Amino acid sequence: MHTPPTGLYEAPLPSDWPEPEALGFGRVLGPYLVHAQHGEDGHWHAPTVSVRNALPVPVASGGLQYGLSVFEGLKAYRDPRGQIHLFRPRDHARRLQQSARRVVMPEPPEDLFMTLCQLAVQVHARYVPPHGRGALYLRPTLYAEEEALGFRPATRHRLAVAVTPSADPAPKHLRLWAEHELTRAAPGGLGAAKTGGNYAAGLAGLQRARENGYDDVIWLDALTRRELAEAGTMNVFVQIGDEVLTPPLDGTILAGITRDSVLRLLRAEGLRVSEQRISLDELAAAQMAGQLGAAFGVGTAARLVKVSEIGDGERAIRFTDTGLPARVYDALKQVQEGSTHALREWRVAVPTPQTP
Ligand code: COI
């Protein structure tokens, strides 16, 4: 366990620091970056703490030129006693390794990922909102920083963890635009990798959704454009009859850690759950038959948001709120925040001076 430089734990919060509820998401960044370089020697160097803007990313780096950049998003919460925990950090470490492999970048060892995340929490401990009122969101980012314009794997990379204290996501509902023209990912492509390029591909979908009067996009499969893939930044679930369905991990969608947590919680409730293809036609037929229940999107940043409608300008599929999304939201929040002993193997405590 690395200890942060003396003094960083104790740095006081700025006097005009907002209440947790006013933080929103991603707007307020922590003052430090915790990072480690992977050098030409093929080794990971020791973790370092810097002020956030101290690290230049060269214009001629593979990170900027060729999108050699993969990232994770995970949260640290305070439990009812004030102890800080990271939620499922090792699962995030393994997903980062998979993303890195896909774009030929060095895979950060799991223990290095853990050390950097723990250090990032420790130096920002003062910024972790009180129990129940939000989280510290960590954004571990691996990028190529070698300056070279030839198209080949880079020889120098960095894994850096930025953080943003964020509000507890408010339960809300969204109308999703089913995008038929643009696609996010095709079989064999990058869809399962958490890489910046997927988000770049997705932004125009979000824009088209908004232009059409919707809140966010739901991507369809690239081959038939009839089946649900994933929403802008979330995996999706729908209830048909007594079954809950979510699209399978076929390599075109992100293997969400929250998706996995929700599958586990739904199964623990005794619900029938299936990872299977879901077509718009099937949803429309279920609606006609009075079998269509609730739908919701899940992700680390958003936790869980209800989906009230999926539309594409020609038809509108309207979901019925059966109460399931609120139950799952509450169950997930309790597990994440340590308000229950259930699934405590998902929480990894981070020692800080207040909670040794
Ligand atoms: C997350 O939920 O962690 C994400 O990566 C979504 C983010 C792009 C806002």
Side-chain angles (χ1 to χ4, degrees):
M1 181 69 226
H2 291 261
T3 41
T6 328
L8 290 186
Y9 278 136
E10 290 83 22
L13 285 180
S15 56
D16 56 351
W17 190 251
E19 289 294 305
E21 289 70 24
L23 288 168
F25 174 79
R27 291 201 301 263
V28 182
L29 296 173
Y32 307 114
L33 264 192
V34 175
H35 53 102
Q37 193 186 64
H38 185 266
E40 283 90 351
D41 58 1
H43 291 103
W44 288 96
H45 300 182
T48 310
V49 181
S50 306
V51 291
R52 194 182 65 246
N53 291 324
L55 284 183
V57 180
V59 170
S61 66
L64 285 186
Q65 295 296 327
Y66 302 122
L68 297 181
S69 164
V70 293
F71 67 92
E72 277 302 312
L74 69 162
K75 281 181 171 171
Y77 298 91
R78 282 189 194 275
D79 72 10
R81 291 179 301 123
Q83 164 77 58
I84 305 174
H85 299 263
L86 283 161
F87 189 66
R88 303 191 67 174
R90 290 194 180 272
D91 296 289
H92 285 278
R94 288 190 280 268
R95 190 174 64 179
L96 185 70
Q97 291 174 336
Q98 284 162 14
S99 298
R101 207 155 46 235
R102 178 62 182 84
V103 291
V104 199
M105 296 170 77
E107 292 174 44
E110 214 174 293
D111 286 345
L112 174 70
F113 181 93
M114 293 297 291
T115 298
L116 292 176
C117 289
Q118 295 210 333
L119 258 176
V121 171
Q122 288 176 322
V123 298
H124 294 101
R126 301 285 305 268
Y127 297 83
V128 184
H131 172 71
R133 296 181 63 191
L136 187 74
Y137 178 91
L138 280 70
R139 178 55 72 81
T141 306
L142 172 67
Y143 57 96
E145 67 174 11
E146 178 202 8
E147 287 192 276
L149 288 176
F151 184 58
R152 56 162 173 75
T155 60
R156 202 170 70 243
H157 298 80
R158 195 175 295 271
L159 175 58
V161 183
V163 307
T164 177
S166 52
D168 198 42
K172 56 179 178 183
H173 66 87
L174 300 179
R175 294 173 62 247
L176 299 182
W177 164 252
E179 173 59 47
H180 288 274
E181 199 174 306
L182 307 176
T183 59
R184 173 185 173 274
L190 286 182
K194 202 162 172 70
T195 178
N198 279 330
Y199 293 84
L203 213 44
L206 173 63
Q207 199 172 33
R208 280 168 55 84
R210 299 254 164 94
E211 281 164 9
N212 283 284
Y214 288 77
D215 302 299
D216 203 346
V217 60
I218 176 132
W219 296 106
L220 303 175
D221 75 286
L223 296 181
T224 71
R225 319 247 170 136
R226 297 159 94 94
E227 292 166 356
L228 305 188
E230 65 176 57
T233 58
M234 295 179 295
N235 295 113
V236 289
F237 287 77
V238 299
Q239 216 182 354
I240 299 184
D242 63 355
E243 208 173 2
V244 185
L245 312 175
T246 192
L249 301 181
D250 62 358
T252 70
I253 66 171
L254 190 76
I257 309 294
T258 313
R259 173 188 181 278
D260 186 71
S261 304
V262 166
L263 282 171
R264 178 88 172 260
L265 292 169
L266 290 169
R267 287 183 175 129
E269 267 216 30
L271 288 157
R272 282 179 57 210
V273 184
S274 171
E275 295 170 67
Q276 64 172 62
R277 304 197 177 284
I278 309 161
S279 70
L280 290 174
D281 290 345
E282 192 182 345
L283 293 176
Q287 177 172 241
M288 288 282 285
Q291 288 287 303
L292 197 59
F296 51 94
V298 304
T300 299
R303 182 178 286 136
L304 183 149
V305 293
K306 295 178 197 172
V307 175
S308 57
E309 182 185 325
I310 293 178
D312 59 11
E314 285 188 7
R315 62 180 160 188
I317 295 161
R318 296 206 173 82
F319 297 92
T320 308
D321 190 354
T322 55
L324 180 68
R327 285 209 307 282
V328 180
Y329 181 99
D330 290 342
L332 190 57
K333 180 170 159 75
Q334 285 202 5
V335 172
Q336 290 171 332
E337 295 179 348
S339 310
T340 164
H341 284 298
L343 295 164
R344 62 176 189 270
E345 64 275 18
W346 281 349
R347 297 186 295 272
V348 175
V350 181
T352 60
Q354 294 82 14
T355 52

